[in-house]
């Protein structure tokens, strides 16, 4: 549009004097310099900066959404219980067995069982775990069965409620299926172990970062890297939020996780701020048991995200509490003993929870039951008043006793008229506390209820995302390298059994009407191929395509129409392709639910450049602009 101004007769006079024409040329040159040398570069720079800023914001937003998706899953809850617990192993809550293998099959696999607090109970080294059950070598199968047997003994001793496997590559699907089959067989044979334990493939990005971090070597000095990864993977399966916050340390290890392909192109401080903001929102939604942070140091990373604290105050708070026998009996001691300031206390008190049941077992002092809830200390009196009114007791009654009774029968709180209570508080000068009262009632019904999404096994798209380590939206249209496994055939139907052999003039041989083989010298050879005389059919059927394994482990299929640009002339694909042959393919369609691809090896598809335009690209407007530019160039010449 700006360039069109230089071609229009603007600021010119339609006279035919020599001086007038010179002035018109000068005005046109001035206008051209103003537009081309000043305005357009400024607009280009502004557009570039704006697009760059929007792209940066988009990457940060998508990275934050990715992290939010990881930490929005609540802690794993066991779906079953063992009928009998051994006398020497009391009930330790939810236990997870974590198995980590390497892409290098020569490297040993490690399995570890951790308790509900993320502490290691027992671990095992499995040398032959990655071998295949369908291996050509019988010794490999025997060694694999031996490792599976040892793994079952570990499961039988420690009795986990969940088995997780790292998402190293596509082999994870095969290994997970081997574990399921082993458990199914053992459950059928061993009646003393009548439990089918769920086996899942879990995102191992955080576990890999922890494996290579400095804090992992300090926590597990003698553990090999893969075993440290297994420990972190089990902790991630127990509670993703805890393990992600564990990576938010002084070295900023969380930045080594891959949240977006372009995250390295933006500033680390901006990305770190966005990721920490997601952790702050989620941690304060869940709450932090500060005594658990003192008892298990790997959970202390949560405390830094409590409102009003931060890394420095959280570290100082833990340091003070370690001098008090690693115990915080009540929230009031945050002020009296820890010397927490009033503003920090007002911000943090509601998000620091205390397990009142455990505190009552460890101390004889008075335990405030509301310290184990989201109710803020400044509203404790309102909560007690609600308990007394719900039980219809006199004000002279001990409110603490009433509160304990209402926690046992919270359904009585439904009869309260909270709107009238809110109006009374407004008259007393506390402002509009209607929402606060409803939140208190909800909290008394279920103290510190986890509002995150329940744990669910990964679906097809999530599993493909984990195993491919790439955005699955980029798979379709890619040029990939694969190995041909075999030719796929379909069964012969009744009509095709009556087909007769055809004569091929070009090869001077007879052709099978189904599999299209043309190396038969006599029609009787085709009949024998069909099994008419021997009863043994050698014909595999009608060829429908090729089975392919891609380099990334995905399985693919090439239909007959996608084998060549002249597919109608190709009847027997075995003449062109052999098992084990490496070939380039173009991904036509990716099916994440089945982890399969529809491929093409047509020359036209292989030569075609990848269309990197996204779905928001306006192709019609692009063509219109090209036509307009061509017309303007023609008119200028």
């Amino acid at each position: 549009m700006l360039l069109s101004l230089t071609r229009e007769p603007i600021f010119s006079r339609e006279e035919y004097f020599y001086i007038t024409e010179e002035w018109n040329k000068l005005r046109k040159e001035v206008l051209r310099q103003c537009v081309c040398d000043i305005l357009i570069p400024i607009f280009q720079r502004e557009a570039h900066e704006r697009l760059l800023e929007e792209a940066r914001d988009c990457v940060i937003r998508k990275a934050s959404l990715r992290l939010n998706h990881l930490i929005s899953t609540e802690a794993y809850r066991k779906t079953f219980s063992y009928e009998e617990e051994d006398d020497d192993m009391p009930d330790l809550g939810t236990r997870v067995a974590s198995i980590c293998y390497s892409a290098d099959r020569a490297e040993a696999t490690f399995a570890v069982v951790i308790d509900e607090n993320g502490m290691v109970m027992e671990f095992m080294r499995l040398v032959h775990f990655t071998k295949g059950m369908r291996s050509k070598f019988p010794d490999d199968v025997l060694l694999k069965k031996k490792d599976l047997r040892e793994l079952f003994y570990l499961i039988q001793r420690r009795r986990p409620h969940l088995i997780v496997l790292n998402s190293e590559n596509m082999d994870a699907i095969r290994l997970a299926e081997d574990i399921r089959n082993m458990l199914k067989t053992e459950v059928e044979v061993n009646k003393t172990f009548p439990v089918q334990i769920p086996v899942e493939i879990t995102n191992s990005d955080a576990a890999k970062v922890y494996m290579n971090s400095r804090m992992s070597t300090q926590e597990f000095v003698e553990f090999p890297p893969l075993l440290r990864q297994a420990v972190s993977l089990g902790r991630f399966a127990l509670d993703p939020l805890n393990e992600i916050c564990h990576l938010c340390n002084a070295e900023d290890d969380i930045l080594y996780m891959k949240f977006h392909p372009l995250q390295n192109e933006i500033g680390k401080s901006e990305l770190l701020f966005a990721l920490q903001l997601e952790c702050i929102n989620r941690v304060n939604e869940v709450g932090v048991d500060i005594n658990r942070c003192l008892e298990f140091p790997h959970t202390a990373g949560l405390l830094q995200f409590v409102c009003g604290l931060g890394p420095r105050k959280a570290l100082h708070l833990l340091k003070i509490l370690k001098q008090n026998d690693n115990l915080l009996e009540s929230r009031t001691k945050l002020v009296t003993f820890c010397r927490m300031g009033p503003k920090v206390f007002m911000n943090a008190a509601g998000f620091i929870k205390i397990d009142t049941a455990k505190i009552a077992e460890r101390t004889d002092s008075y335990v405030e039951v509301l310290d184990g809830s989201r109710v803020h200390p400044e509203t404790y009196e309102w909560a007690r008043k609600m308990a007394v009114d719900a039980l219809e007791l006199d004000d002279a009654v001990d409110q603490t006793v009433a509160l304990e009774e209402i926690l046992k029968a919270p359904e009585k709180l439904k009869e309260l008229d909270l709107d009238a209570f809110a109006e009374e508080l407004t008259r007393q000068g506390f402002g509009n506390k209607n929402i606060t009262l409803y939140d208190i009632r909800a909290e008394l019904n279920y103290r510190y209820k986890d509002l995150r999404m329940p744990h669910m096994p990964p679906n097809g798209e999530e599993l493909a995302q984990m195993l491919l380590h790439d955005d699955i939206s980029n798979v379709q249209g890619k040029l990939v390298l694969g190995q041909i496994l075999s030719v796929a055939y379909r069964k012969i139907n009744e009509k095709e059994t009556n087909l007769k052999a055809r004569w091929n003039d070009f090869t001077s041989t007879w052709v099978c009407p189904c599999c299209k083989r043309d190396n038969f010298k006599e029609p009787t050879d085709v009949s024998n191929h069909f099994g008419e005389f021997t009863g043994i059919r050698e014909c595999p059927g009608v060829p429908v395509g090729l089975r392919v394994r891609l380099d990334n482990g995905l399985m693919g299929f090439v239909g007959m129409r996608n084998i060549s640009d002249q597919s109608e002339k190709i009847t027997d694909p075995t003449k062109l392709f052999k098992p084990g042959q490496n070939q380039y393919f173009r991904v036509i369609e990716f099916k994440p639910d089945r982890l399969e691809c529809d491929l093409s090896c047509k020359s036209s598809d292989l030569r075609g450049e990848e269309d990197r335009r996204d779905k928001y690209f306006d192709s019609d407007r692009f063509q219109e602009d090209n036509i307009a530019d061509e017309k303007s160039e023609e008119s200028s010449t």
Side-chain angles (χ1 to χ4, degrees):
M1 182 178 179
L2 290 175
L3 290 176
S4 63
L5 294 176
T6 61
R7 294 188 288 268
E8 296 292 335
I10 303 175
F11 307 117
S12 62
R13 299 178 63 180
E14 297 182 358
E15 297 181 4
Y16 297 99
F17 294 104
Y18 172 75
I19 297 177
T20 304
E21 292 179 356
E22 291 297 325
W23 272 110
N24 289 339
K25 291 180 181 180
L26 183 60
R27 293 189 187 100
K28 186 175 182 180
E29 178 63 20
V30 170
L31 183 61
R32 187 197 65 78
Q33 290 184 5
C34 178
V35 172
C36 298
D37 299 342
I38 299 177
L39 293 180
I40 290 181
I42 292 176
F43 292 154
Q44 286 179 342
R45 185 167 57 253
E46 290 181 356
H48 179 269
E49 292 176 355
R50 184 172 180 179
L51 290 174
L52 189 62
E53 182 180 359
E54 291 180 356
R56 187 185 300 112
D57 294 341
C58 179
V59 172
I60 293 176
R61 183 172 63 254
K62 289 188 176 182
S64 301
L65 290 175
R66 174 63 179 162
L67 176 61
N68 181 61
H69 177 72
L70 290 177
I71 62 180
S72 294
T73 303
E74 67 178 3
Y76 182 78
R77 297 180 181 179
K78 55 185 179 182
T79 56
F80 67 94
S81 297
Y82 290 94
E83 295 180 358
E84 298 178 359
E85 294 287 348
D86 295 338
D87 296 336
D88 58 344
M89 190 189 72
D91 187 9
L92 299 177
T94 304
R95 300 179 292 276
V96 174
S98 173
I99 303 172
C100 281
Y101 70 97
S102 174
D104 184 6
R105 295 194 176 186
E107 190 173 348
T109 302
F110 284 91
V112 62
V113 179
I114 62 174
D115 60 16
E116 63 176 351
N117 296 313
M119 304 304 292
V120 177
M121 300 177 66
E122 186 179 350
F123 63 88
M124 177 180 292
R125 184 171 181 265
L126 304 172
V127 181
H128 308 286
F129 179 76
T130 55
K131 297 184 183 298
M133 294 294 291
R134 299 179 181 178
S135 176
K136 299 179 181 178
F137 306 100
D139 293 341
D140 289 350
V141 178
L142 294 176
L143 293 172
K144 173 64 177 283
K145 290 182 178 179
K146 181 181 178 181
D147 273 4
L148 289 176
R149 190 68 181 172
E150 293 295 329
L151 178 62
F152 176 74
Y153 290 151
L154 175 65
I155 295 172
Q156 195 174 29
R157 287 193 302 271
R158 295 303 179 181
R159 300 191 175 187
H161 299 90
L162 174 68
I163 300 175
V164 294
L165 192 68
N166 65 325
S167 54
E168 183 67 26
N169 50 30
M170 296 297 295
D171 288 341
I173 299 177
R174 172 179 61 84
L175 298 175
E177 193 63 27
D178 291 342
I179 298 174
R180 294 189 187 100
N181 294 334
M182 177 268 294
L183 290 175
K184 184 178 180 181
T185 303
E186 294 294 342
V187 167
E188 294 175 354
V189 175
N190 192 349
K191 301 300 182 181
T192 61
F193 195 77
V195 175
Q196 185 68 32
I197 307 173
V199 180
E200 298 180 4
I201 299 174
T202 305
N203 191 313
S204 57
D205 292 344
K208 287 183 178 179
V209 174
Y210 176 80
M211 173 185 68
N212 298 311
S213 65
R214 184 185 303 175
M215 60 182 177
S216 68
T217 57
Q218 294 174 353
E219 185 177 0
F220 302 103
V221 180
E222 299 179 354
F223 281 17
L226 206 57
L227 181 54
R228 298 199 298 265
Q229 180 183 348
V231 174
S232 179
L233 186 69
R235 291 174 176 175
F236 183 85
L238 276 175
D239 191 351
L241 179 61
N242 182 22
E243 195 61 18
I244 292 294
C245 292
H246 192 31
L247 298 178
C248 298
N249 47 27
E251 288 81 14
D252 295 331
D253 289 331
I254 192 174
L255 294 178
Y256 293 101
M257 290 186 63
K258 186 178 180 181
F259 299 104
H260 193 275
L262 300 176
Q263 69 181 49
N264 294 330
E265 304 298 327
I266 61 178
K268 291 185 178 180
S269 58
E270 298 177 1
L271 179 61
L272 184 62
F273 177 78
L275 298 179
Q276 289 177 343
L277 187 61
E278 291 294 331
C279 293
I280 289 172
N281 294 333
R282 198 59 60 197
V283 166
N284 289 281
E285 180 186 64
V286 176
V288 179
D289 187 349
I290 191 169
N291 290 314
R292 187 169 183 264
C293 294
L294 291 167
E295 186 176 0
F296 306 103
H298 67 273
T299 64
L302 296 167
L303 193 60
Q304 61 180 317
F305 296 111
V306 172
C307 287
L309 293 184
R312 184 176 58 84
K313 291 187 180 70
L315 185 62
H316 181 67
L317 181 60
L318 293 175
K319 184 178 179 180
I320 294 177
L321 291 175
K322 286 179 181 179
Q323 302 172 3
N324 188 33
D325 298 330
N326 287 346
L327 184 65
L328 180 68
E329 295 91 346
S330 64
R331 287 173 173 170
T332 56
K333 282 200 171 184
L334 291 172
V335 178
T336 59
F337 182 77
C338 301
R339 304 297 181 183
M340 184 178 287
K343 292 185 178 180
V344 177
F345 178 78
M346 291 295 292
N347 288 328
F351 307 109
I352 295 178
K353 62 181 178 180
I354 297 174
D355 193 339
T356 55
K358 290 184 178 180
I359 295 298
E361 296 175 357
R362 297 178 59 180
T363 181
D364 296 332
S365 59
Y366 169 73
V367 178
E368 175 60 65
V369 292
L370 291 176
D371 285 344
S373 67
R374 290 186 177 92
V375 180
H376 198 276
E378 65 178 355
T379 60
Y380 278 2
E381 292 299 326
W382 300 347
R384 296 190 183 99
K385 176 65 175 174
M386 291 169 60
V388 172
D389 293 345
L391 296 174
E392 298 180 354
L393 301 176
D394 297 334
D395 294 339
V397 177
D398 188 358
Q399 294 182 347
T400 303
V401 177
L403 186 60
E404 293 177 354
E405 292 182 6
I406 205 66
L407 290 176
K408 297 177 182 178
E411 62 275 0
K412 296 182 180 180
L413 292 169
K414 296 180 180 179
E415 302 175 359
L416 286 178
D417 187 1
L418 297 182
D419 295 333
F421 192 9
E423 292 177 0
E424 178 63 25
L425 293 176
T426 303
R427 285 194 296 269
Q428 294 178 8
F430 290 101
N432 187 3
K433 298 296 181 181
N434 192 286
I435 297 177
T436 303
L437 295 178
Y438 277 96
D439 289 342
I440 292 175
R441 183 170 69 175
E443 189 65 21
L444 294 178
N445 276 277
Y446 199 127
R447 286 182 293 174
Y448 263 110
K449 180 181 180 181
D450 199 336
L451 303 177
R452 294 176 293 176
M453 297 183 298
H455 175 88
M456 295 292 292
N459 55 32
E461 293 186 359
E462 293 173 344
L463 192 60
Q465 187 90 19
M466 288 189 295
L467 297 178
L468 295 178
H469 304 286
D470 191 10
D471 189 358
I472 58 176
S473 61
N474 298 330
V475 176
Q476 188 165 326
K478 269 190 173 182
L479 189 66
V480 294
L481 180 64
Q483 186 182 60
I484 297 174
L485 300 179
S486 63
V487 177
Y489 296 90
R490 67 169 175 82
K491 293 182 179 180
I492 302 173
N493 54 40
E494 295 182 359
K495 294 182 179 180
E496 292 170 339
T497 55
N498 299 324
L499 296 177
K500 302 298 182 181
R502 294 184 294 104
W503 174 257
N504 190 336
D505 294 331
F506 183 75
T507 60
S508 299
T509 55
W510 292 91
V511 181
C512 175
C514 293
C515 66
K516 311 302 180 184
R517 282 179 54 186
D518 57 356
N519 57 350
F520 301 102
K521 296 181 179 180
E522 299 293 338
T524 55
D525 296 337
V526 179
S527 300
N528 292 331
H529 179 65
F530 263 99
E532 294 182 4
F533 303 113
T534 61
I536 301 175
R537 178 175 293 176
E538 298 178 359
C539 181
V542 180
V544 294
L546 303 173
R547 294 189 182 93
V548 180
R549 179 187 288 115
L550 303 182
D551 276 359
N552 55 13
L554 283 176
M555 300 301 295
F557 179 78
V558 184
M560 290 295 294
R561 62 178 182 178
N562 293 322
I563 286 181
S564 173
D565 291 320
Q566 299 178 349
S567 300
E568 64 279 357
K569 296 183 179 180
I570 298 177
T571 56
D572 186 8
T574 57
K575 292 184 177 181
L576 298 177
F577 305 98
K578 303 296 181 183
Q581 176 181 339
N582 293 325
Q583 174 81 24
Y584 279 100
F585 301 92
R586 181 76 66 181
V587 179
I588 299 177
E589 183 182 1
F590 176 55
K591 303 173 182 177
D593 294 338
R594 300 169 57 185
L595 293 175
E596 293 181 354
C597 296
D598 287 340
L599 307 173
S600 172
C601 56
K602 292 181 180 179
S603 300
S604 57
D605 291 336
L606 297 179
R607 286 194 304 266
E609 296 182 357
E610 298 183 35
D611 188 4
R612 298 187 179 275
R613 299 170 184 169
D614 57 21
K615 60 182 179 180
Y616 303 105
F617 187 82
D618 193 343
S619 301
D620 297 335
R621 184 65 180 273
F622 178 71
Q623 293 178 359
E624 292 176 1
D625 291 342
N626 287 337
I627 295 173
D629 291 341
E630 292 176 358
K631 290 182 178 179
S632 62
E633 291 178 0
E634 292 176 358
S635 61
S636 62
T637 55

